[in-house]
Each structure stands twice: as C-alpha cells, then as structure tokens.
Amino acid sequence: MESSFMTSMEKTGRPSELYIDLHVKYIQSLDTKKDDLEYWLTEHLRLSGVYWGLTALDLMNNIDALKREDVVKYVVSCQHDNGGFGGHIGHDPHISYTLYAVQILITEDSLEAANVEKIVEYVASRQDRQTGAFTGDEWGEIDTRFSYIAISCLSLLKRLDAIDVKKAIEFIMLCKNFDGGFGSIPGAESHAGQ
C-alpha cells in the first residue's frame, strides 16, 4: 500500500485514491484518546462528532465500523428529562445537539430508543409563539439556524404540527436583507450560513 501511495504521490503530487481503511481507523480511534487534553477540551462536541463520523462511515460504506448498540446507548444517554440532548453526557440540552441525536438515531434505525414525544415537546418549546423565532436553549439566543434545525428535526419526526410553521416563516422573512441574503436575526448582516 505504501509503495503504491508513494508512486501515486511521485507522479501527481497527490494520492490517486481514497484510503478508506485509514479513514475508518481514524474515526474509530477518536474516542480512545482520553489521556489527551484535547479530548476533554472538545467533549461538548462529542455528539456532533458522532454524527459526522457516522455520516462519513456511511458514505464510505462502513457504517458498521462503529457498533450500533454503543452508538445508540451513548446518544440516548445524552437526552435530558425535557427531551433535549446535550453535546455530551451531563451537558445542557441544546436544539443543535437534539437534531444531531435524531439524525444519528434515524441513521441507526433506532429512533424508538429515545423518548420521541419529549423530543417534539422540547423542540416546540424553543419557539417563541409571538415572533415565530427559535432559541437554541433555555438561555434564549435567537438565530435563524435554530429555525432550520427545529424545522428539520420535526420534519424528520413527521411532527411539524407541533410548531407554528407560518410564524417561523414570517420570522425568517424578517431576517431578509436588501442584498437578498439573510441575517441571524432581523437587522443582522447577511451571512452565507443563514
């Protein structure tokens, strides 16, 4: 393998193939570095890392490289009594991590392992019924990305009926600017992420 890699590198300056086995091993190794400070400094990103790792493995036709039972058990352990999910065990729930959890559980065909009705209640509770805006968590930050996340999450769960979709759209349209772009809140600068 190394000689073909070197031959490819010598001829073109870049590899000519994707070394799937190395990518799979890398993803599998991510939860084994508990002696590294970086591991602990990034624990709030753990659930999103599982989502992105699982997605990459699925794209490489290696979704079984992470044990389904372990993935599902971990995801469910991040769910709070209010239905939301934290970025790691013991972290506060946030709408972003709740979407990651739903996507992982659907990917693993294990949605029934979580309390879906509580997820719906949590996501719906993030909507301000007067403005239609969504907050990311109990601390109240408003951002159109949270509107996207809420709608995506409830759409995947087939429960858009739990929110006021018309009001959500009205709020998003208030964030549209003269240049055609959207800001995170009304009056905020246009941003590609929005």
Side-chain angles (χ1 to χ4, degrees):
M1 183 161 114
E2 187 172 323
S3 61
S4 67
F5 174 76
M6 291 307 293
T7 305
S8 170
M9 289 292 290
E10 291 167 2
K11 290 180 183 176
T12 66
R14 63 183 189 277
S16 61
E17 62 184 274
L18 180 64
Y19 294 101
I20 290 176
D21 291 345
L22 294 177
H23 287 286
V24 170
K25 286 178 186 171
Y26 173 74
I27 292 168
Q28 289 172 322
S29 77
L30 290 174
D31 200 40
T32 64
K33 301 176 182 186
K34 295 180 180 172
D35 291 335
D36 294 349
L37 178 62
E38 183 179 13
Y39 178 89
W40 297 106
L41 293 176
T42 60
E43 78 172 358
H44 65 286
L45 301 171
R46 200 76 63 229
L47 190 61
S48 53
V50 171
Y51 169 74
W52 289 110
L54 193 64
T55 300
L57 290 170
D58 196 14
L59 288 169
M60 295 184 290
N61 295 317
N62 276 276
I63 197 165
D64 294 331
L66 297 180
K67 287 185 183 175
R68 179 177 176 259
E69 304 81 36
D70 293 344
V71 170
V72 171
K73 181 179 177 183
Y74 170 71
V75 171
V76 170
S77 73
C78 294
Q79 188 173 24
H80 289 255
D81 291 340
N82 67 2
F85 288 78
H88 187 55
I89 299 165
H91 286 243
D92 289 343
H94 194 281
I95 200 166
S96 297
Y97 296 116
T98 302
L99 176 60
Y100 283 129
V102 167
Q103 291 170 320
I104 293 166
L105 293 172
I106 288 173
T107 299
E108 293 286 20
D109 196 26
S110 296
L111 192 56
E112 75 286 346
N115 187 331
V116 174
E117 194 52 42
K118 292 298 275 184
I119 296 171
V120 171
E121 288 175 18
Y122 175 76
V123 173
S125 77
R126 304 280 31 103
Q127 186 177 34
D128 179 315
R129 294 299 176 148
Q130 289 184 318
T131 66
F134 284 86
T135 59
D137 56 25
E138 68 180 290
W139 307 111
E141 178 187 9
I142 295 172
D143 190 313
T144 51
R145 290 174 295 181
F146 303 149
S147 298
Y148 165 79
I149 289 167
I151 291 168
S152 293
C153 191
L154 294 176
S155 179
L156 287 169
L157 298 174
K158 297 177 180 23
R159 287 299 312 277
L160 283 171
D161 61 295
I163 60 170
D164 188 335
V165 175
K166 183 178 178 200
K167 276 289 199 186
I169 293 168
E170 288 173 7
F171 172 75
I172 292 169
M173 293 310 295
L174 287 174
C175 299
K176 186 175 182 180
N177 292 317
F178 70 93
D179 60 4
F182 290 80
S184 58
I185 58 173
E189 66 180 331
S190 297
H191 190 284
Q194 309 304 326

